């Protein structure tokens, strides 16, 4: 199977923060890969912008180094790299000052798609938006891409939305959540809405519970000061995990259209019940192996920030009343693994004598490390010995099923940047969605702060704090194993 690459319209894409970590690791290598795939039209250009005083050639050199470091050798093609570097320019600009804006205005064409990627600290988003308008650089159809975090609570997210809204309409604002650009996440919508198989069963009548796990092995070492102001709830649950939950729980949109999809996701967030304190477990990793504890990494000896969180959520609507969603995420865990597991209820009555209590079907959607899907079904154990049952996986690894086409699957950033150029907002968060997610998150965090809540310690290389196991056990359920 060969993947189809549809070229996009000619564009000028300005990457503010073009010399920063995210641009070097993801955005610029991703754009090179789209160039390599033949998706970039001949007159598309990428302009890096930051305060550093670089010439175009010096910027190209930093991008060449980033491609060398972050693109796999098999996809580094000398002629393509040279061609891509030829599309690059650089402007020294200060988001908070007036330097460089006149030069940027000269460079930007008004007869192509204009996109401005804000890959800078969120404190600069407002300044950039304002100056793009003030200097007459962004035309009426221009798009801006804003990175996470989008606020740290409802008030700051509202303020940021209001600031951006002074200069750009909602249809011009692309709030990026790279989880939504993952192939499997989109596949989740295809599986749900392009097959008849699952949808009739997709409700509390047939689904016992849902588990969403995002486990990481890394610590916060090196960015402890940043993480200490955030924690797992703000860093992972409020955005990425909430988005995954919405895709599982939402009603079928009337069309695969940006606002139709986002309307349905918003309804899910609004239907979330407030979470009871006994339905939350917060953890903080201890020292282990060669690495220090969370507190050592955060440089705050009294830090109460969680590096792990597990929660039980309830959605109060007709479809989901009575089906809990269990979410957990953490750092320094046993393995790097992200998955969604949907556990169906057991058949109402067993006709077989062999009853070992393993009769539930589980649909597992793996996001990483290897994207794919797996449906656990019961079959007869082969051989003589009567009707003994065994649970086996119907496993579909996308890499195996799709062959070369799966190898060519663009990384989340590549796909999302091309969606910006195409003007497709389906995989980007709308302002009201972000605000609704904060409105649900805020009281939980405020509750911890008011009580001076301390997270429980857990050992690195485990699946998290003991109490997280209890969160499931007390409901007669258990977490799926995080496999090393
Ligand atoms: P970073 O490495 O600190 O880079 C910041 C960039 O902004 C640099 O190019 C810097 O260059 C430029 N900059 C700083 N102040 C500026 C100003 N006043 N005017 C114009 N440019 C300025 O940050 P990052 O890690 O790339 O993160 C960028 C954004 O992406 C942040 O919002 C972050 O939260 C988000 N993000 C990052 C990651 C990641 O993996 N890194 C992941 C998710 C989200 P000069 O100093 O030369 O100006």
């Amino acid at each position: 199977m060969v993947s189809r690459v549809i070229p996009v319209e000619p564009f000028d894409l300005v990457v503010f923060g073009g010399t920063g970590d995210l641009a070097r690791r993801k955005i610029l290598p991703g754009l090179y890969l789209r160039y390599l795939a033949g998706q970039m039209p001949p007159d598309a250009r990428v302009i890096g912008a930051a305060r550093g005083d670089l010439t175009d050639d010096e910027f190209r050199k930093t991008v060449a180094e980033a491609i060398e470091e972050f693109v796999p050798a098999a996809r580094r093609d000398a002629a393509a790299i040279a061609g891509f570097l030829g599309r690059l320019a650089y402007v020294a600009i200060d988001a908070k000052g007036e330097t460089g804006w006149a030069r940027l205005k000269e460079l930007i064409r008004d007869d192509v798609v204009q996109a401005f990627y804000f890959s800078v600290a969120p404190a600069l988003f407002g300044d950039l938006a304002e100056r793009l308008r003030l200097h007459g650089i962004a035309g009426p159809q221009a798009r801006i891409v804003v990175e996470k975090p989008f606020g740290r609570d409802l008030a700051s997210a509202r303020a940021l939305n209001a600031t951006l809204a002074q200069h750009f309409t909602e249809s011009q604002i692309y709030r990026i959540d790279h989880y939504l650009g993952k192939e499997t996440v989109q596949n989740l919508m295809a599986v749900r809405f392009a097959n008849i198989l699952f949808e009739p069963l997709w409700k509390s009548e047939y689904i016992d519970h849902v588990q969403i796990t995002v486990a990481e092995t890394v610590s916060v070492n090196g960015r402890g000061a940043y993480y200490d102001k955030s924690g797992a709830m703000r860093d992972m649950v409020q955005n990425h995990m909430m988005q995954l939950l919405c895709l599982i729980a939402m009603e079928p949109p009337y069309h695969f259209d940006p606002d139709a999809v986002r309307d349905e996701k918003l309804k899910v967030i609004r239907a979330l019940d407030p979470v009871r304190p006994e339905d939350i477990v917060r953890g903080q990793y201890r020292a282990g192996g060669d690495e220090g504890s969370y507190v050592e990494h955060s440089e705050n000896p009294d830090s109460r920030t969680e590096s792990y969180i597990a929660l039980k959520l309830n959605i109060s609507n007709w479809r989901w009343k009575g089906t809990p969603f269990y979410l957990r995420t953490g750092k320094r865990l046993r393995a790097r693994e992200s998955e969604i597991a949907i556990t169906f209820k057991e058949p109402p009555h067993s006709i077989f004598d062999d009853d070992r209590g393993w009769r539930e079907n589980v649909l597992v959607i793996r996001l990483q490390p290897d994207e794919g899907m797996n449906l656990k079904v019961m079959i007869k154990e082969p051989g003589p010995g009567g009707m003994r049952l065994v649970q086996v996986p119907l496993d579909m690894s996308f890499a195996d099923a799709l062959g070369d086409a799966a190898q060519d699957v663009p990384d989340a950033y590549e796909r999302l940047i091309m969606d910006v150029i195409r003007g497709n907002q389906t995989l980007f968060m709308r302002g009201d969605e972000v605000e609704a997610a904060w409105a649900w998150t805020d009281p939980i965090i405020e509750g911890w702060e008011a009580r001076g809540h301390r997270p429980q310690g857990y050992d690195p290389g485990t699946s998290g704090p003991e109490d997280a196991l209890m969160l499931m056990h007390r409901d007669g359920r258990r977490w799926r194993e995080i496999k090393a």
Side-chain angles (χ1 to χ4, degrees):
M1 200 184 294
V2 178
S3 62
R4 280 184 305 141
V5 174
I6 303 168
V8 293
E9 301 268 298
F11 62 83
D12 280 344
L13 168 64
V14 179
V15 183
F16 290 107
T19 54
D21 177 65
L22 183 68
R24 275 177 44 74
R25 279 192 309 110
K26 291 286 180 188
I27 302 171
L28 294 160
L31 284 163
Y32 158 71
L33 287 169
R34 288 297 89 208
Y35 177 87
L36 180 71
Q39 202 164 26
M40 227 184 249
D43 45 0
R45 294 182 320 180
V46 178
I47 299 156
R51 287 169 307 175
D53 195 13
L54 305 185
T55 62
D56 288 345
D57 278 341
E58 284 165 338
F59 178 62
R60 290 185 185 119
K61 189 160 171 283
T62 68
V63 177
E65 286 162 4
I67 292 173
E68 179 73 22
E69 193 176 344
F70 297 109
V71 173
R75 301 182 77 188
R76 292 199 302 261
D77 175 278
I81 294 176
F84 175 67
L85 296 180
R87 308 294 186 83
L88 304 183
Y90 179 82
V91 185
I93 254 180
D94 185 351
K96 285 190 165 295
E98 300 315 318
T99 351
W101 294 96
R103 164 111 206 280
L104 185 62
K105 184 169 166 54
E106 276 167 29
L107 277 180
I108 295 290
R109 297 166 292 176
D110 51 18
D111 56 348
V112 297
V113 173
Q114 300 174 340
F116 301 94
Y117 198 130
F118 293 3
S119 181
V120 295
L124 300 177
F125 292 169
D127 295 300
L128 288 177
E130 187 184 339
R131 284 188 170 75
L132 280 172
R133 280 284 186 235
L134 204 70
H135 293 272
I137 296 170
Q141 304 299 326
R143 289 141 208 181
I144 60 168
V145 185
V146 282
E147 262 299 336
K148 77 158 206 179
F150 198 91
R152 66 182 315 275
D153 52 23
L154 178 58
S156 55
R158 265 194 188 142
L160 188 49
N161 274 334
T163 305
L164 296 180
Q166 284 172 20
H167 310 290
F168 293 93
T169 62
E170 184 60 35
S171 64
Q172 296 178 288
I173 304 172
Y174 290 70
R175 294 174 194 79
I176 208 161
D177 181 334
H178 71 273
Y179 263 62
L180 288 181
K182 285 180 184 288
E183 189 71 5
T184 329
V185 172
Q186 292 169 75
N187 237 321
L188 191 57
M189 284 188 274
V191 165
R192 279 197 63 195
F193 303 129
N195 297 287
I196 191 71
L197 196 61
F198 296 111
E199 198 51 28
L201 304 179
W202 213 256
K203 52 175 104 163
S204 56
E205 210 177 330
Y206 299 109
I207 293 183
D208 178 71
H209 74 279
V210 176
Q211 295 185 25
I212 304 179
T213 300
V214 178
E216 298 182 292
T217 51
V218 291
S219 68
V220 302
N221 202 5
R223 48 182 215 116
Y226 157 78
Y227 191 88
D228 210 44
K229 294 193 195 77
S230 159
M233 187 71 176
R234 288 191 171 100
D235 193 48
M236 276 291 179
V237 177
Q238 184 273 343
N239 40 44
H240 307 315
M241 298 184 86
M242 180 72 77
Q243 290 295 319
L244 298 180
L245 173 119
C246 285
L247 296 179
I248 304 276
M250 72 186 196
E251 295 300 316
Y254 74 90
H255 192 255
F256 192 57
D257 156 275
D259 278 327
V261 171
R262 299 185 300 177
D263 285 346
E264 296 306 336
K265 289 198 294 171
L266 178 63
K267 287 182 204 162
V268 174
I269 304 174
R270 291 196 170 144
L272 283 171
D273 285 351
V275 187
R276 303 175 309 168
E278 59 269 35
D279 288 340
I280 307 178
V281 177
R282 298 170 75 223
Q284 206 181 61
Y285 61 81
R286 302 191 184 103
D290 297 340
E291 282 225 51
S293 66
Y294 177 84
V295 169
E296 290 164 67
H297 291 161
S298 80
E299 296 162 15
N300 171 4
D302 191 41
S303 174
R304 297 181 184 194
T305 303
E306 75 286 351
S307 61
Y308 174 99
I309 189 163
L311 312 107
K312 177 183 175 186
L313 308 188
N314 292 303
I315 302 174
S316 275
N317 62 20
W318 275 37
R319 188 186 283 265
W320 293 115
K321 191 78 191 167
T323 295
F325 283 64
Y326 299 92
L327 274 50
R328 64 178 163 165
T329 181
K331 306 226 175 261
R332 291 287 271 144
L333 297 179
R334 186 175 297 134
R336 175 173 173 262
E337 186 180 280
S338 299
E339 65 164 43
I340 300 165
I342 294 138
T343 300
F344 291 85
K345 288 185 176 166
E346 295 188 359
H349 163 70
S350 174
I351 63 165
F352 302 107
D353 293 336
D354 177 17
D355 194 353
R356 283 176 279 180
W358 276 103
R359 286 184 286 119
E360 81 271 11
N361 300 120
V362 187
L363 175 67
V364 181
I365 297 147
R366 292 189 304 270
L367 308 180
Q368 58 192 26
D370 50 336
E371 298 195 29
M373 258 184 254
N374 177 326
L375 177 64
K376 295 214 158 57
V377 292
M378 300 303 297
I379 62 162
K380 177 190 168 300
E381 202 171 274
M387 193 55 134
R388 285 177 294 132
L389 301 178
V390 60
Q391 193 185 44
V392 294
L394 284 180
D395 203 341
M396 189 177 94
S397 151
F398 294 152
D400 296 345
L402 302 175
D404 288 348
Q407 306 305 319
D408 290 343
V409 165
D411 162 86
Y413 276 94
E414 292 174 53
R415 173 191 315 275
L416 293 173
I417 295 170
M418 290 300 116
D419 276 359
V420 173
I421 305 298
R422 286 191 203 96
N424 185 344
Q425 290 185 303
T426 311
L427 300 176
F428 296 83
M429 291 178 294
R430 211 168 52 190
D432 51 2
E433 255 185 278
V434 178
E435 289 186 15
W438 280 122
W440 173 83
T441 313
D442 273 5
I444 301 173
I445 298 177
E446 283 160 13
W448 301 334
E449 286 172 355
R451 297 196 306 277
H453 187 267
R454 262 186 200 284
Q456 241 183 56
Y458 63 93
D459 288 326
T462 64
S463 57
E466 287 287 314
D467 279 6
L469 301 179
M470 288 312 298
L471 188 71
M472 292 286 262
H473 282 179
R474 66 167 201 219
D475 293 346
R477 302 184 174 106
R478 58 198 168 87
W479 291 108
R480 288 168 49 78
E481 198 186 333
I482 298 175
K483 292 199 189 77

